[in-house]
Amino acid sequence: MPRTALLVSGALLTALLPLSATAHAADDPAPVPVDRFEGEVPFAAQPADGIFTWGSDADDPPTLHLTDRTDAPEGAKVLTGTYDISGYGGFTHDFAAGEPAHDWSAHQGIRFWWEGRDNGRKIAFEIKDGGANGEASELWTTSFTDDFTGWKQIQIPFTDFQYRTDYQPVGGIDHVLGLTRMWGYAVTLPAGTKGDFAMDDVELYGKADQSLRASVSTDAPVYPVKAGGTAEVRVTLATTGDRPVDDPVTVTYATEGGTATAGRDYTPTQGTLTFPAGTPSGTAQTITVPTRNTKGAAPAKTIPLKLTVTGAKAPAESPQVVIDAHGLPYLNSKLPVKKRVADLLSRMSLAEKAGQMTQAERGAVGGGGDIATYALGSLLSGGGSTPTPNTPEAWARMIDGFQLRSQATRFQIPLIYGVDAVHGHNNLAGATIMPHNIGIGASRDPQLAEKTGAVTAAEVRATGIPWDFAPCLCVSRDERWGRSYESFGEDPALVQSMETIIQGLQGRADGRDLSHDDKVLATAKHFVGDGGTAYGSSTTGTYTTDQGVTTVTRQQLEDIHLAPYQTAVERGIGTVMPSYSSLDIVGDGQGAVKMHARGDMINGVLKDRMGFHGFVISDWNAIDQLPGDYATHVRAAVNAGVDMMMVPYSYKDFSGTLADEVKAGRISEKRIDDAVSRILTQKFRLGLFEHPYADTSGAFAIGSPAHRAVARQAAAESQVLLKNGGGLLPLKKSEKVYVAGSNADDLGNQTGGWTLTWQGASGTHTQGTTILQGMRAAGGNVTYSKDASTPTDGYDVGVVVVGETPYAEGVGDVGNGHSLQLSAADRAAVDKVCAAMKCAVLIVSGRPQLVGDRLDKIDALVASWLPGTEGEGVADVLYGKRPFTGQLPVTWPKSESQLPINVGDASYDPQFPYGWGLTTLTDVPRGGTATLKALGAAATAAERRGDDRASRELVTKARLLVQQKLGDRMTQAVAKPFADADHLLLTGRYGKAVGKLIEAYGAA
């Protein structure tokens, strides 16, 4: 699912003031200059006082100048700049880190002059407080609209700034705007089109009143109580800088409105709390609201508590007490799930049903008030959408806060919260990050796949999240696809064999384990054919392959792309996500149709023919890609069988449009009831009605040695030894090893995309061990030079770790700024080291890289894929603690012109065939054709008696014998039967697999 940067902006007062209006009122302090742009503040960076630029990539930071202007609002110079921003970019003034932070608390706000371009675009303005310096502080944000021309003074009271919920440079400090510890400001310029700007005279203005530094808050927005219980609302006074209040603060309260009836459901309450002058910050008082026991069953009822505050800033919203629903059949956990669903469904309104079918981004709902207003059924965190600080405790606290909001709805239907935990809990800093799926496929170890799923589920559920948008069951048919590493491989039989991961995530296929504190609901994605999209067929931005068109015959669709979904359904998969891509079935007369609108596939094949009983969740804003107007989008997707719509920021439009379409008869009530029943069924199975809040008892195991041991094993088993001239590997600890290359000591490159952020990033951003660190921990005698600039004399062997930098989805498509060639720096490192000594080259990447032109100069070659956080697993096979056992999950091409190239192709002449993988520390059988025939006969006999384990071992012996003979003599005549043999092995035709290996042996 694609993820875009999030921005939450507060309200903003803008004013056009004449120059004379800058004079301050008699009792106001004089304005305090922050930036005059006359040259008093240099262009610099932390830790010095200065102005500097930043952006999402090298092209995005704006250019800045101090420019002489006769029309400057103040002085002779103004700050000017030009920009052309694709992602995000802007500039910052950070105060010197070596000096004390600034105190702005005496002022009402901050203002500056802006030269308008009347382009209607929003300019984000932020201030920084707390922490150690400007780059380790909290960000508070708002924005103004450039809808004017000429100079205008933008005036922002400090009360307009909101804490950024989507991004903070460090962990949260106190989430309180600390005007006594300010570190500067920042401006985020508009992305998407070229522009220029001019700015002048940033200054503090006005006199602060107490309400700017004192605020009243309640400890929760919602207070659920059982009928007859008493709610206790804790009201706290807080001040900036923890100073006592100078003047009294009063809080008048009264229960009024809501769905509960005063006198029958609760005792009306009113009164006034007083915090006298001199009251310290943090002082709290309590309001009690008694409820009454009423006879019979009833839905939840609300009692708003209106608060009127003088002398301080009031809470952003009034709290409400909720009398819990009680006595209704759906609340009885002893009833079968089917009866509970039927009872609840019968009570729900159309608006409530529409809400259950709606999923919003957590960054879009802010504090969460809309959860109850729109009866939302689900929230998600997109890639990089994390709480601050990004800790297990903060995740659980955030999600519990959202779940609390759902308790203010009539039937208190809990939310189901989802994340893309595609290789471990990859949004969480410090989590255990597994190899991406392509590496798991290389392991050929279904038990290991299940173990990685179990670790992921345990870490995800321990943070309060019951739903994982994984695994990807795509069958990757073209390595130019930016998502190819999310696939277990190019052979549907391999993908099916790795679907044991579903049991790791969900537990037993009948769903009985879903309520456990270490299991999550899994998602099979992306239905169907996403791995078959043709290069050049995408119409999404600059993508070349992702979200494009898959053109197949009906038989190819069944054999290649649908097969893994049948297996997933049999394994009890809870949810399925359609693909962004279009499907064009040759001869069906429909042409290319977006999968979210293909009712023949979602309703017809998945639900009816395969018998899928879970629910279908759309991809991120995917319905927006359907033809027609928005109502048509909604109607097409829902009628095609999509049960819940991921509409991150348009959740209000979706739920309203859905209800309108039902009222107009264009979507049937029967279809809505089917969708909601499917969703509620999974919520009941997950135990969310009984336990909606996070069970953090397993949080101690997040990133634990036991979990990292699984990831380390997965990293080791994923390593594929493609070439091992002279038996160079494994290395000896006595050897002096020269290590070079861009990916030897880079945890971000090693973990790849979908790690902390959607696209991932180079560098150290989570906890783990790089390959270099793993080699040193293994006891290796290692010298490291990233660019191979250190002299190369005197070493026994070189290890050059090269490959890709992180990417995700279509951003990583070949032709969209990416290629299958090593970078110039990586090529130079390989050339220098391999010319000076025996060398092993490790390729850390999400897909094969084209190295045929250097293969003769490389002694040993390893496909390391994206091994995750445990680089010690790679070191384990390099130094012989574990054997190399991995096999290619995809064909390794000789050139890009061969693509797409896959096992089973009529013409098949790769660099290394599918299934190839040398081994170490393993006895390879001796002999020739006679030995192979004997192995074939034994494999056939074992196959007949149903002994899969013995059959696989026999085929493996035959494969190793053939590989030993082949060495570097790979030809088309050898490659095709060799690859076919691995496919036959995975489909249980063991005797025929050995037969193909005999054919390959004879052709060598």
Side-chain angles (χ1 to χ4, degrees), residues 574-826:
T575 60
V576 170
M577 180 183 292
S579 175
Y580 280 115
S581 57
S582 299
L583 180 63
D584 185 356
I585 303 175
V586 176
D588 76 349
Q590 294 190 59
V593 179
K594 284 285 184 180
M595 273 307 308
H596 281 73
R598 287 213 67 140
D600 60 327
M601 301 306 298
I602 300 173
N603 285 327
V605 174
L606 178 65
K607 291 183 175 180
D608 295 342
R609 194 188 86 189
M610 292 184 177
F612 172 63
H613 297 300
F615 69 89
V616 176
I617 170 71
S618 87
D619 211 329
W620 177 286
N621 276 336
I623 63 170
D624 290 350
Q625 296 189 5
L626 301 181
D629 60 15
Y630 192 69
T632 304
H633 298 168
V634 172
R635 183 167 66 251
V638 172
N639 284 337
V642 183
D643 301 305
M644 181 184 285
M645 220 63 67
M646 188 185 293
V647 279
Y649 295 94
S650 55
Y651 57 90
K652 299 176 187 177
D653 291 338
F654 170 75
S655 60
T657 301
L658 176 59
D660 289 343
E661 288 295 292
V662 176
K663 292 172 186 175
R666 291 184 286 268
I667 298 174
S668 70
E669 292 188 28
K670 181 181 179 181
R671 171 70 194 102
I672 297 299
D673 286 352
D674 171 62
V676 177
S677 294
R678 290 169 176 270
I679 295 164
L680 294 177
T681 296
Q682 300 302 339
K683 290 187 176 185
F684 279 118
R685 294 171 86 198
L686 285 161
L688 295 177
F689 281 82
E690 288 70 45
H691 304 288
Y693 301 114
D695 180 346
T696 58
S697 58
F700 73 93
I702 294 173
S704 65
H707 284 186
R708 291 184 183 275
V710 173
R712 180 173 179 169
Q713 178 188 351
E717 291 192 26
S718 72
Q719 303 298 295
V720 180
L721 183 58
L722 300 173
K723 179 181 179 181
N724 195 23
L728 181 64
L729 297 178
L731 302 171
K732 301 177 181 63
K733 292 181 183 178
S734 59
E735 291 176 312
K736 290 184 65 178
V737 181
Y738 186 100
V739 179
S742 60
N743 287 350
D745 194 32
D746 194 304
L747 195 61
N749 291 354
Q750 189 175 300
T751 52
W754 290 107
T755 309
L756 290 190
T757 59
W758 174 36
Q759 293 294 315
S762 301
T764 302
H765 47 52
T766 190
Q767 299 169 24
T769 305
T770 66
I771 293 171
L772 174 67
Q773 291 168 337
M775 293 176 69
R776 285 173 171 160
N781 183 359
V782 170
T783 296
Y784 173 59
S785 175
K786 180 177 180 179
D787 61 357
S789 59
T790 299
T792 56
D793 298 333
Y795 293 92
D796 299 308
V797 62
V799 173
V800 191
V801 189
V802 295
E804 297 186 303
T805 54
Y807 55 81
E809 301 195 37
V811 175
D813 284 350
V814 168
N816 189 24
H818 294 266
S819 77
L820 298 181
Q821 300 284 346
L822 297 178
S823 70
D826 278 349

Side-chain angles (χ1 to χ4, degrees), residues 32-34 41 49 93-97 99-106 128-130 178-184 204:
V32 173
V34 177
V41 177
D49 187 321
H93 178 183
D94 275 1
F95 302 144
E99 300 294 330
H102 294 208
D103 185 348
W104 291 0
S105 63
K128 307 180 175 192
D129 84 293
L179 294 172
T180 58
R181 287 185 52 79
M182 301 305 299
W183 289 105
L204 309 177

Side-chain angles (χ1 to χ4, degrees), residues 312-393:
K313 186 178 181 181
E317 62 180 307
S318 295
Q320 54 182 332
V321 174
V322 178
I323 304 172
D324 286 338
H326 54 277
L328 300 171
Y330 78 87
L331 295 170
N332 184 355
S333 61
K334 295 180 180 178
L335 288 178
V337 167
K338 191 172 182 179
K339 288 188 175 181
R340 297 179 76 182
V341 169
D343 176 69
L344 178 52
L345 188 69
S346 70
R347 301 174 186 279
M348 294 171 68
S349 68
L350 175 58
E352 288 166 331
K353 292 174 183 178
Q356 285 301 302
M357 295 174 67
T358 306
Q359 184 183 64
E361 220 295 331
R362 66 110 203 169
V365 299
D370 278 353
I371 292 169
T373 302
Y374 294 91
L376 295 178
S378 181
L379 294 182
L380 83 151
S381 276
S385 178
T386 64
T388 301
N390 188 358
T391 63
E393 296 79 13

Side-chain angles (χ1 to χ4, degrees), residues 430-455:
T432 307
I433 304 301
M434 302 292 171
H436 269 294
N437 283 352
I438 196 167
I440 302 298
S443 76
R444 294 300 201 282
D445 188 341
Q447 290 182 324
L448 176 62
E450 183 171 350
K451 287 165 66 176
T452 64
V455 168

